Amino acid sequence: MRVILLGTAAGGGFPQWNCACALCVSDAPPRTQDCVAVSADGEGWYLLNVSPDIRAQILATQALRAGPGPREIPLRGVLLTDAELDHSLGLLLLREAGGLPVWAPDAVLGALSEHFPARSIIDGYGGWEWLPSSDVSIDGLRVSVLPVSDKRPKYARSSTEDGHWVVAYRIEDVETGGVFVYAPCLKSWPDGFDDFTRDAGLVLLDGTFYAPDEMSGATAADAGAQPAMGHLPITGSLAKLRPGPRWAYTHLNNTNPVIDPASPEHAAVLDGGASLPLDGTEYRL
């Protein structure tokens, strides 16, 4: 199984266009918005989330480029972890794909119809399927789903839909037994997550914030609002990591000091047994 990190930043990317915090004006390596590509054979690829940067991400990744036929593409489908705009806006940019299956939690499928009408727009281009997230087998990959949060996106606050808005995916290569877990949005360390990540070769974790008070210190934002954003800080997850899997953090906010490779927070993550991979990093499991 090949896993390519197309983007590793939270919404807005890094540096963020509307921010002049110390990090955004630094020389830290840029990052595009969180998105992953996974394949069992290196020919057919599935996207985990679809960022607004997806066009540039595809063009920067040789394995995802069109060909050999003039309209052949290697994309086979999309799995959404949630309905946040930074994870779903890219669907509109894939409208020329000729149709793809999209798996997502029921609440997310509803939001994409009622509040952010991506489904009705894209369906006009034909061939799209909208499927509830479930345990499925696709092209040599066995996918399992774990609900991890009930946090809905801001644009869907008026929704009456309750239930699971955010999921994590466990993807197993049927032939090699390699296991990859993708959990870029964790409100907490959920029940069952230790079992869900057991025997995983790679776990990609929510690294949005390093500490709970981070945004207020970096941008003078309302500190009280941060817990409501639905992201477990790295200080709350790093101690829970156990030997075995390769642990890596993604979905890094532009205020997160780990973005700076010279920061003590970056060093603390490495010392804690995790990594902070850049865009374009590839793993084979």
Side-chain angles (χ1 to χ4, degrees), residues 43-67:
E43 297 182 4
W45 291 83
Y46 289 84
L47 296 178
L48 307 181
N49 292 329
V50 194
S51 86
D53 300 316
I54 189 60
R55 178 184 178 276
Q57 291 168 339
I58 288 174
L59 294 179
T61 308
Q62 185 60 41
L64 302 183
R65 299 287 295 267

mmCIF file with all atom_site columns, all heavy atoms in Angstrom, residues 43-67:
data_model
loop_
_atom_site.group_PDB
_atom_site.id
_atom_site.type_symbol
_atom_site.label_atom_id
_atom_site.label_alt_id
_atom_site.label_comp_id
_atom_site.label_asym_id
_atom_site.label_entity_id
_atom_site.label_seq_id
_atom_site.pdbx_PDB_ins_code
_atom_site.Cartn_x
_atom_site.Cartn_y
_atom_site.Cartn_z
_atom_site.occupancy
_atom_site.B_iso_or_equiv
_atom_site.pdbx_formal_charge
_atom_site.auth_seq_id
_atom_site.auth_comp_id
_atom_site.auth_asym_id
_atom_site.auth_atom_id
_atom_site.pdbx_PDB_model_num
ATOM 1   N N   . GLU A 1 43 ? -1.765  2.181  -9.093  1.00 0.00 ? 43 GLU A N   1
ATOM 2   C CA  . GLU A 1 43 ? -2.443  2.557  -10.335 1.00 0.00 ? 43 GLU A CA  1
ATOM 3   C C   . GLU A 1 43 ? -3.797  3.216  -10.077 1.00 0.00 ? 43 GLU A C   1
ATOM 4   O O   . GLU A 1 43 ? -4.135  4.221  -10.690 1.00 0.00 ? 43 GLU A O   1
ATOM 5   C CB  . GLU A 1 43 ? -2.611  1.330  -11.227 1.00 0.00 ? 43 GLU A CB  1
ATOM 6   C CG  . GLU A 1 43 ? -1.279  0.723  -11.686 1.00 0.00 ? 43 GLU A CG  1
ATOM 7   C CD  . GLU A 1 43 ? -1.462  -0.461 -12.614 1.00 0.00 ? 43 GLU A CD  1
ATOM 8   O OE1 . GLU A 1 43 ? -2.628  -0.773 -12.959 1.00 0.00 ? 43 GLU A OE1 1
ATOM 9   O OE2 . GLU A 1 43 ? -0.452  -1.082 -12.977 1.00 0.00 ? 43 GLU A OE2 1
ATOM 10  N N   . GLY A 1 44 ? -4.594  2.619  -9.181  1.00 0.00 ? 44 GLY A N   1
ATOM 11  C CA  . GLY A 1 44 ? -5.867  3.208  -8.804  1.00 0.00 ? 44 GLY A CA  1
ATOM 12  C C   . GLY A 1 44 ? -5.740  3.848  -7.427  1.00 0.00 ? 44 GLY A C   1
ATOM 13  O O   . GLY A 1 44 ? -5.290  3.198  -6.484  1.00 0.00 ? 44 GLY A O   1
ATOM 14  N N   . TRP A 1 45 ? -6.131  5.110  -7.323  1.00 0.00 ? 45 TRP A N   1
ATOM 15  C CA  . TRP A 1 45 ? -5.913  5.876  -6.093  1.00 0.00 ? 45 TRP A CA  1
ATOM 16  C C   . TRP A 1 45 ? -7.228  6.392  -5.521  1.00 0.00 ? 45 TRP A C   1
ATOM 17  O O   . TRP A 1 45 ? -8.143  6.768  -6.250  1.00 0.00 ? 45 TRP A O   1
ATOM 18  C CB  . TRP A 1 45 ? -4.997  7.073  -6.364  1.00 0.00 ? 45 TRP A CB  1
ATOM 19  C CG  . TRP A 1 45 ? -3.592  6.667  -6.672  1.00 0.00 ? 45 TRP A CG  1
ATOM 20  C CD1 . TRP A 1 45 ? -3.099  6.257  -7.890  1.00 0.00 ? 45 TRP A CD1 1
ATOM 21  C CD2 . TRP A 1 45 ? -2.502  6.602  -5.754  1.00 0.00 ? 45 TRP A CD2 1
ATOM 22  N NE1 . TRP A 1 45 ? -1.768  5.958  -7.781  1.00 0.00 ? 45 TRP A NE1 1
ATOM 23  C CE2 . TRP A 1 45 ? -1.361  6.160  -6.481  1.00 0.00 ? 45 TRP A CE2 1
ATOM 24  C CE3 . TRP A 1 45 ? -2.368  6.887  -4.392  1.00 0.00 ? 45 TRP A CE3 1
ATOM 25  C CZ2 . TRP A 1 45 ? -0.118  5.994  -5.888  1.00 0.00 ? 45 TRP A CZ2 1
ATOM 26  C CZ3 . TRP A 1 45 ? -1.125  6.730  -3.795  1.00 0.00 ? 45 TRP A CZ3 1
ATOM 27  C CH2 . TRP A 1 45 ? -0.017  6.291  -4.532  1.00 0.00 ? 45 TRP A CH2 1
ATOM 28  N N   . TYR A 1 46 ? -7.288  6.405  -4.184  1.00 0.00 ? 46 TYR A N   1
ATOM 29  C CA  . TYR A 1 46 ? -8.422  6.961  -3.446  1.00 0.00 ? 46 TYR A CA  1
ATOM 30  C C   . TYR A 1 46 ? -7.941  8.162  -2.640  1.00 0.00 ? 46 TYR A C   1
ATOM 31  O O   . TYR A 1 46 ? -6.873  8.114  -2.022  1.00 0.00 ? 46 TYR A O   1
ATOM 32  C CB  . TYR A 1 46 ? -9.037  5.907  -2.530  1.00 0.00 ? 46 TYR A CB  1
ATOM 33  C CG  . TYR A 1 46 ? -9.775  4.832  -3.298  1.00 0.00 ? 46 TYR A CG  1
ATOM 34  C CD1 . TYR A 1 46 ? -9.086  3.747  -3.835  1.00 0.00 ? 46 TYR A CD1 1
ATOM 35  C CD2 . TYR A 1 46 ? -11.149 4.925  -3.522  1.00 0.00 ? 46 TYR A CD2 1
ATOM 36  C CE1 . TYR A 1 46 ? -9.750  2.780  -4.581  1.00 0.00 ? 46 TYR A CE1 1
ATOM 37  C CE2 . TYR A 1 46 ? -11.820 3.952  -4.260  1.00 0.00 ? 46 TYR A CE2 1
ATOM 38  C CZ  . TYR A 1 46 ? -11.117 2.891  -4.779  1.00 0.00 ? 46 TYR A CZ  1
ATOM 39  O OH  . TYR A 1 46 ? -11.774 1.949  -5.515  1.00 0.00 ? 46 TYR A OH  1
ATOM 40  N N   . LEU A 1 47 ? -8.746  9.220  -2.662  1.00 0.00 ? 47 LEU A N   1
ATOM 41  C CA  . LEU A 1 47 ? -8.439  10.411 -1.879  1.00 0.00 ? 47 LEU A CA  1
ATOM 42  C C   . LEU A 1 47 ? -9.127  10.332 -0.531  1.00 0.00 ? 47 LEU A C   1
ATOM 43  O O   . LEU A 1 47 ? -10.312 9.988  -0.445  1.00 0.00 ? 47 LEU A O   1
ATOM 44  C CB  . LEU A 1 47 ? -8.902  11.667 -2.611  1.00 0.00 ? 47 LEU A CB  1
ATOM 45  C CG  . LEU A 1 47 ? -8.229  11.980 -3.950  1.00 0.00 ? 47 LEU A CG  1
ATOM 46  C CD1 . LEU A 1 47 ? -8.864  13.238 -4.551  1.00 0.00 ? 47 LEU A CD1 1
ATOM 47  C CD2 . LEU A 1 47 ? -6.729  12.160 -3.782  1.00 0.00 ? 47 LEU A CD2 1
ATOM 48  N N   . LEU A 1 48 ? -8.385  10.645 0.512   1.00 0.00 ? 48 LEU A N   1
ATOM 49  C CA  . LEU A 1 48 ? -8.952  10.807 1.842   1.00 0.00 ? 48 LEU A CA  1
ATOM 50  C C   . LEU A 1 48 ? -9.060  12.303 2.096   1.00 0.00 ? 48 LEU A C   1
ATOM 51  O O   . LEU A 1 48 ? -8.056  12.992 2.279   1.00 0.00 ? 48 LEU A O   1
ATOM 52  C CB  . LEU A 1 48 ? -8.059  10.139 2.894   1.00 0.00 ? 48 LEU A CB  1
ATOM 53  C CG  . LEU A 1 48 ? -7.709  8.674  2.630   1.00 0.00 ? 48 LEU A CG  1
ATOM 54  C CD1 . LEU A 1 48 ? -6.835  8.132  3.755   1.00 0.00 ? 48 LEU A CD1 1
ATOM 55  C CD2 . LEU A 1 48 ? -8.953  7.827  2.465   1.00 0.00 ? 48 LEU A CD2 1
ATOM 56  N N   . ASN A 1 49 ? -10.286 12.799 2.031   1.00 0.00 ? 49 ASN A N   1
ATOM 57  C CA  . ASN A 1 49 ? -10.617 14.219 2.015   1.00 0.00 ? 49 ASN A CA  1
ATOM 58  C C   . ASN A 1 49 ? -10.146 14.848 0.703   1.00 0.00 ? 49 ASN A C   1
ATOM 59  O O   . ASN A 1 49 ? -9.293  14.310 -0.004  1.00 0.00 ? 49 ASN A O   1
ATOM 60  C CB  . ASN A 1 49 ? -10.060 14.961 3.230   1.00 0.00 ? 49 ASN A CB  1
ATOM 61  C CG  . ASN A 1 49 ? -10.753 14.526 4.503   1.00 0.00 ? 49 ASN A CG  1
ATOM 62  O OD1 . ASN A 1 49 ? -11.934 14.161 4.478   1.00 0.00 ? 49 ASN A OD1 1
ATOM 63  N ND2 . ASN A 1 49 ? -10.048 14.550 5.624   1.00 0.00 ? 49 ASN A ND2 1
ATOM 64  N N   . VAL A 1 50 ? -10.762 15.983 0.365   1.00 0.00 ? 50 VAL A N   1
ATOM 65  C CA  . VAL A 1 50 ? -10.442 16.681 -0.886  1.00 0.00 ? 50 VAL A CA  1
ATOM 66  C C   . VAL A 1 50 ? -10.308 18.165 -0.572  1.00 0.00 ? 50 VAL A C   1
ATOM 67  O O   . VAL A 1 50 ? -11.295 18.872 -0.432  1.00 0.00 ? 50 VAL A O   1
ATOM 68  C CB  . VAL A 1 50 ? -11.533 16.471 -1.958  1.00 0.00 ? 50 VAL A CB  1
ATOM 69  C CG1 . VAL A 1 50 ? -11.002 16.922 -3.309  1.00 0.00 ? 50 VAL A CG1 1
ATOM 70  C CG2 . VAL A 1 50 ? -11.975 15.030 -2.036  1.00 0.00 ? 50 VAL A CG2 1
ATOM 71  N N   . SER A 1 51 ? -9.090  18.634 -0.476  1.00 0.00 ? 51 SER A N   1
ATOM 72  C CA  . SER A 1 51 ? -8.847  20.006 -0.046  1.00 0.00 ? 51 SER A CA  1
ATOM 73  C C   . SER A 1 51 ? -9.087  20.996 -1.182  1.00 0.00 ? 51 SER A C   1
ATOM 74  O O   . SER A 1 51 ? -9.103  20.620 -2.367  1.00 0.00 ? 51 SER A O   1
ATOM 75  C CB  . SER A 1 51 ? -7.412  20.149 0.462   1.00 0.00 ? 51 SER A CB  1
ATOM 76  O OG  . SER A 1 51 ? -6.517  20.423 -0.604  1.00 0.00 ? 51 SER A OG  1
ATOM 77  N N   . PRO A 1 52 ? -9.244  22.282 -0.853  1.00 0.00 ? 52 PRO A N   1
ATOM 78  C CA  . PRO A 1 52 ? -9.340  23.302 -1.897  1.00 0.00 ? 52 PRO A CA  1
ATOM 79  C C   . PRO A 1 52 ? -8.066  23.409 -2.734  1.00 0.00 ? 52 PRO A C   1
ATOM 80  O O   . PRO A 1 52 ? -8.082  24.033 -3.798  1.00 0.00 ? 52 PRO A O   1
ATOM 81  C CB  . PRO A 1 52 ? -9.590  24.598 -1.108  1.00 0.00 ? 52 PRO A CB  1
ATOM 82  C CG  . PRO A 1 52 ? -10.122 24.151 0.216   1.00 0.00 ? 52 PRO A CG  1
ATOM 83  C CD  . PRO A 1 52 ? -9.451  22.845 0.499   1.00 0.00 ? 52 PRO A CD  1
ATOM 84  N N   . ASP A 1 53 ? -6.977  22.809 -2.259  1.00 0.00 ? 53 ASP A N   1
ATOM 85  C CA  . ASP A 1 53 ? -5.705  22.828 -2.987  1.00 0.00 ? 53 ASP A CA  1
ATOM 86  C C   . ASP A 1 53 ? -5.537  21.605 -3.891  1.00 0.00 ? 53 ASP A C   1
ATOM 87  O O   . ASP A 1 53 ? -4.436  21.350 -4.393  1.00 0.00 ? 53 ASP A O   1
ATOM 88  C CB  . ASP A 1 53 ? -4.537  22.856 -1.984  1.00 0.00 ? 53 ASP A CB  1
ATOM 89  C CG  . ASP A 1 53 ? -4.565  24.073 -1.086  1.00 0.00 ? 53 ASP A CG  1
ATOM 90  O OD1 . ASP A 1 53 ? -4.808  25.182 -1.600  1.00 0.00 ? 53 ASP A OD1 1
ATOM 91  O OD2 . ASP A 1 53 ? -4.340  23.920 0.126   1.00 0.00 ? 53 ASP A OD2 1
ATOM 92  N N   . ILE A 1 54 ? -6.610  20.840 -4.127  1.00 0.00 ? 54 ILE A N   1
ATOM 93  C CA  . ILE A 1 54 ? -6.465  19.529 -4.755  1.00 0.00 ? 54 ILE A CA  1
ATOM 94  C C   . ILE A 1 54 ? -5.882  19.612 -6.165  1.00 0.00 ? 54 ILE A C   1
ATOM 95  O O   . ILE A 1 54 ? -5.109  18.738 -6.577  1.00 0.00 ? 54 ILE A O   1
ATOM 96  C CB  . ILE A 1 54 ? -7.818  18.766 -4.763  1.00 0.00 ? 54 ILE A CB  1
ATOM 97  C CG1 . ILE A 1 54 ? -7.613  17.309 -5.209  1.00 0.00 ? 54 ILE A CG1 1
ATOM 98  C CG2 . ILE A 1 54 ? -8.846  19.476 -5.623  1.00 0.00 ? 54 ILE A CG2 1
ATOM 99  C CD1 . ILE A 1 54 ? -6.685  16.515 -4.331  1.00 0.00 ? 54 ILE A CD1 1
ATOM 100 N N   . ARG A 1 55 ? -6.210  20.632 -6.934  1.00 0.00 ? 55 ARG A N   1
ATOM 101 C CA  . ARG A 1 55 ? -5.655  20.714 -8.285  1.00 0.00 ? 55 ARG A CA  1
ATOM 102 C C   . ARG A 1 55 ? -4.136  20.797 -8.241  1.00 0.00 ? 55 ARG A C   1
ATOM 103 O O   . ARG A 1 55 ? -3.437  20.034 -8.924  1.00 0.00 ? 55 ARG A O   1
ATOM 104 C CB  . ARG A 1 55 ? -6.221  21.923 -9.037  1.00 0.00 ? 55 ARG A CB  1
ATOM 105 C CG  . ARG A 1 55 ? -5.626  22.077 -10.433 1.00 0.00 ? 55 ARG A CG  1
ATOM 106 C CD  . ARG A 1 55 ? -6.118  23.335 -11.139 1.00 0.00 ? 55 ARG A CD  1
ATOM 107 N NE  . ARG A 1 55 ? -5.496  23.466 -12.458 1.00 0.00 ? 55 ARG A NE  1
ATOM 108 C CZ  . ARG A 1 55 ? -4.305  24.012 -12.664 1.00 0.00 ? 55 ARG A CZ  1
ATOM 109 N NH1 . ARG A 1 55 ? -3.603  24.481 -11.618 1.00 0.00 ? 55 ARG A NH1 1
ATOM 110 N NH2 . ARG A 1 55 ? -3.797  24.100 -13.890 1.00 0.00 ? 55 ARG A NH2 1
ATOM 111 N N   . ALA A 1 56 ? -3.608  21.714 -7.430  1.00 0.00 ? 56 ALA A N   1
ATOM 112 C CA  . ALA A 1 56 ? -2.157  21.858 -7.318  1.00 0.00 ? 56 ALA A CA  1
ATOM 113 C C   . ALA A 1 56 ? -1.528  20.605 -6.730  1.00 0.00 ? 56 ALA A C   1
ATOM 114 O O   . ALA A 1 56 ? -0.430  20.198 -7.130  1.00 0.00 ? 56 ALA A O   1
ATOM 115 C CB  . ALA A 1 56 ? -1.810  23.075 -6.458  1.00 0.00 ? 56 ALA A CB  1
ATOM 116 N N   . GLN A 1 57 ? -2.230  19.953 -5.795  1.00 0.00 ? 57 GLN A N   1
ATOM 117 C CA  . GLN A 1 57 ? -1.701  18.741 -5.173  1.00 0.00 ? 57 GLN A CA  1
ATOM 118 C C   . GLN A 1 57 ? -1.600  17.603 -6.180  1.00 0.00 ? 57 GLN A C   1
ATOM 119 O O   . GLN A 1 57 ? -0.620  16.855 -6.206  1.00 0.00 ? 57 GLN A O   1
ATOM 120 C CB  . GLN A 1 57 ? -2.572  18.350 -3.978  1.00 0.00 ? 57 GLN A CB  1
ATOM 121 C CG  . GLN A 1 57 ? -2.450  19.324 -2.815  1.00 0.00 ? 57 GLN A CG  1
ATOM 122 C CD  . GLN A 1 57 ? -3.510  19.107 -1.745  1.00 0.00 ? 57 GLN A CD  1
ATOM 123 O OE1 . GLN A 1 57 ? -4.558  18.511 -2.003  1.00 0.00 ? 57 GLN A OE1 1
ATOM 124 N NE2 . GLN A 1 57 ? -3.256  19.594 -0.553  1.00 0.00 ? 57 GLN A NE2 1
ATOM 125 N N   . ILE A 1 58 ? -2.607  17.453 -7.028  1.00 0.00 ? 58 ILE A N   1
ATOM 126 C CA  . ILE A 1 58 ? -2.574  16.415 -8.053  1.00 0.00 ? 58 ILE A CA  1
ATOM 127 C C   . ILE A 1 58 ? -1.441  16.681 -9.046  1.00 0.00 ? 58 ILE A C   1
ATOM 128 O O   . ILE A 1 58 ? -0.666  15.784 -9.396  1.00 0.00 ? 58 ILE A O   1
ATOM 129 C CB  . ILE A 1 58 ? -3.929  16.329 -8.781  1.00 0.00 ? 58 ILE A CB  1
ATOM 130 C CG1 . ILE A 1 58 ? -4.995  15.700 -7.859  1.00 0.00 ? 58 ILE A CG1 1
ATOM 131 C CG2 . ILE A 1 58 ? -3.808  15.526 -10.076 1.00 0.00 ? 58 ILE A CG2 1
ATOM 132 C CD1 . ILE A 1 58 ? -6.387  15.713 -8.433  1.00 0.00 ? 58 ILE A CD1 1
ATOM 133 N N   . LEU A 1 59 ? -1.321  17.914 -9.497  1.00 0.00 ? 59 LEU A N   1
ATOM 134 C CA  . LEU A 1 59 ? -0.295  18.237 -10.484 1.00 0.00 ? 59 LEU A CA  1
ATOM 135 C C   . LEU A 1 59 ? 1.113   18.105 -9.921  1.00 0.00 ? 59 LEU A C   1
ATOM 136 O O   . LEU A 1 59 ? 2.068   17.893 -10.671 1.00 0.00 ? 59 LEU A O   1
ATOM 137 C CB  . LEU A 1 59 ? -0.525  19.649 -11.027 1.00 0.00 ? 59 LEU A CB  1
ATOM 138 C CG  . LEU A 1 59 ? -1.806  19.840 -11.842 1.00 0.00 ? 59 LEU A CG  1
ATOM 139 C CD1 . LEU A 1 59 ? -1.939  21.275 -12.308 1.00 0.00 ? 59 LEU A CD1 1
ATOM 140 C CD2 . LEU A 1 59 ? -1.847  18.891 -13.034 1.00 0.00 ? 59 LEU A CD2 1
ATOM 141 N N   . ALA A 1 60 ? 1.242   18.205 -8.596  1.00 0.00 ? 60 ALA A N   1
ATOM 142 C CA  . ALA A 1 60 ? 2.550   18.062 -7.960  1.00 0.00 ? 60 ALA A CA  1
ATOM 143 C C   . ALA A 1 60 ? 2.894   16.611 -7.653  1.00 0.00 ? 60 ALA A C   1
ATOM 144 O O   . ALA A 1 60 ? 3.991   16.324 -7.173  1.00 0.00 ? 60 ALA A O   1
ATOM 145 C CB  . ALA A 1 60 ? 2.591   18.880 -6.671  1.00 0.00 ? 60 ALA A CB  1
ATOM 146 N N   . THR A 1 61 ? 1.967   15.678 -7.934  1.00 0.00 ? 61 THR A N   1
ATOM 147 C CA  . THR A 1 61 ? 2.140   14.263 -7.586  1.00 0.00 ? 61 THR A CA  1
ATOM 148 C C   . THR A 1 61 ? 2.053   13.424 -8.845  1.00 0.00 ? 61 THR A C   1
ATOM 149 O O   . THR A 1 61 ? 0.965   13.219 -9.398  1.00 0.00 ? 61 THR A O   1
ATOM 150 C CB  . THR A 1 61 ? 1.054   13.836 -6.576  1.00 0.00 ? 61 THR A CB  1
ATOM 151 O OG1 . THR A 1 61 ? 1.041   14.742 -5.475  1.00 0.00 ? 61 THR A OG1 1
ATOM 152 C CG2 . THR A 1 61 ? 1.313   12.426 -6.070  1.00 0.00 ? 61 THR A CG2 1
ATOM 153 N N   . GLN A 1 62 ? 3.189   12.912 -9.304  1.00 0.00 ? 62 GLN A N   1
ATOM 154 C CA  . GLN A 1 62 ? 3.236   12.212 -10.579 1.00 0.00 ? 62 GLN A CA  1
ATOM 155 C C   . GLN A 1 62 ? 2.256   11.044 -10.635 1.00 0.00 ? 62 GLN A C   1
ATOM 156 O O   . GLN A 1 62 ? 1.622   10.785 -11.661 1.00 0.00 ? 62 GLN A O   1
ATOM 157 C CB  . GLN A 1 62 ? 4.658   11.716 -10.851 1.00 0.00 ? 62 GLN A CB  1
ATOM 158 C CG  . GLN A 1 62 ? 4.843   11.081 -12.220 1.00 0.00 ? 62 GLN A CG  1
ATOM 159 C CD  . GLN A 1 62 ? 4.526   12.034 -13.364 1.00 0.00 ? 62 GLN A CD  1
ATOM 160 O OE1 . GLN A 1 62 ? 4.887   13.212 -13.319 1.00 0.00 ? 62 GLN A OE1 1
ATOM 161 N NE2 . GLN A 1 62 ? 3.826   11.544 -14.382 1.00 0.00 ? 62 GLN A NE2 1
ATOM 162 N N   . ALA A 1 63 ? 2.099   10.329 -9.532  1.00 0.00 ? 63 ALA A N   1
ATOM 163 C CA  . ALA A 1 63 ? 1.222   9.154  -9.516  1.00 0.00 ? 63 ALA A CA  1
ATOM 164 C C   . ALA A 1 63 ? -0.238  9.511  -9.761  1.00 0.00 ? 63 ALA A C   1
ATOM 165 O O   . ALA A 1 63 ? -1.031  8.645  -10.153 1.00 0.00 ? 63 ALA A O   1
ATOM 166 C CB  . ALA A 1 63 ? 1.354   8.425  -8.187  1.00 0.00 ? 63 ALA A CB  1
ATOM 167 N N   . LEU A 1 64 ? -0.618  10.777 -9.561  1.00 0.00 ? 64 LEU A N   1
ATOM 168 C CA  . LEU A 1 64 ? -2.011  11.190 -9.720  1.00 0.00 ? 64 LEU A CA  1
ATOM 169 C C   . LEU A 1 64 ? -2.272  11.927 -11.024 1.00 0.00 ? 64 LEU A C   1
ATOM 170 O O   . LEU A 1 64 ? -3.420  12.294 -11.299 1.00 0.00 ? 64 LEU A O   1
ATOM 171 C CB  . LEU A 1 64 ? -2.432  12.078 -8.540  1.00 0.00 ? 64 LEU A CB  1
ATOM 172 C CG  . LEU A 1 64 ? -2.314  11.473 -7.145  1.00 0.00 ? 64 LEU A CG  1
ATOM 173 C CD1 . LEU A 1 64 ? -2.842  12.452 -6.105  1.00 0.00 ? 64 LEU A CD1 1
ATOM 174 C CD2 . LEU A 1 64 ? -3.054  10.153 -7.044  1.00 0.00 ? 64 LEU A CD2 1
ATOM 175 N N   . ARG A 1 65 ? -1.239  12.132 -11.811 1.00 0.00 ? 65 ARG A N   1
ATOM 176 C CA  . ARG A 1 65 ? -1.407  12.871 -13.070 1.00 0.00 ? 65 ARG A CA  1
ATOM 177 C C   . ARG A 1 65 ? -2.193  12.049 -14.089 1.00 0.00 ? 65 ARG A C   1
ATOM 178 O O   . ARG A 1 65 ? -2.170  10.823 -14.078 1.00 0.00 ? 65 ARG A O   1
ATOM 179 C CB  . ARG A 1 65 ? -0.039  13.245 -13.648 1.00 0.00 ? 65 ARG A CB  1
ATOM 180 C CG  . ARG A 1 65 ? 0.801   14.149 -12.759 1.00 0.00 ? 65 ARG A CG  1
ATOM 181 C CD  . ARG A 1 65 ? 0.275   15.567 -12.719 1.00 0.00 ? 65 ARG A CD  1
ATOM 182 N NE  . ARG A 1 65 ? 0.356   16.247 -13.984 1.00 0.00 ? 65 ARG A NE  1
ATOM 183 C CZ  . ARG A 1 65 ? 1.387   17.016 -14.360 1.00 0.00 ? 65 ARG A CZ  1
ATOM 184 N NH1 . ARG A 1 65 ? 2.433   17.174 -13.551 1.00 0.00 ? 65 ARG A NH1 1
ATOM 185 N NH2 . ARG A 1 65 ? 1.372   17.632 -15.528 1.00 0.00 ? 65 ARG A NH2 1
ATOM 186 N N   . ALA A 1 66 ? -2.894  12.723 -14.958 1.00 0.00 ? 66 ALA A N   1
ATOM 187 C CA  . ALA A 1 66 ? -3.698  12.060 -15.983 1.00 0.00 ? 66 ALA A CA  1
ATOM 188 C C   . ALA A 1 66 ? -2.808  11.306 -16.969 1.00 0.00 ? 66 ALA A C   1
ATOM 189 O O   . ALA A 1 66 ? -1.643  11.648 -17.177 1.00 0.00 ? 66 ALA A O   1
ATOM 190 C CB  . ALA A 1 66 ? -4.543  13.089 -16.721 1.00 0.00 ? 66 ALA A CB  1
ATOM 191 N N   . GLY A 1 67 ? -3.395  10.264 -17.618 1.00 0.00 ? 67 GLY A N   1
ATOM 192 C CA  . GLY A 1 67 ? -2.711  9.484  -18.634 1.00 0.00 ? 67 GLY A CA  1
ATOM 193 C C   . GLY A 1 67 ? -2.817  7.999  -18.333 1.00 0.00 ? 67 GLY A C   1
ATOM 194 O O   . GLY A 1 67 ? -3.305  7.604  -17.282 1.00 0.00 ? 67 GLY A O   1
#
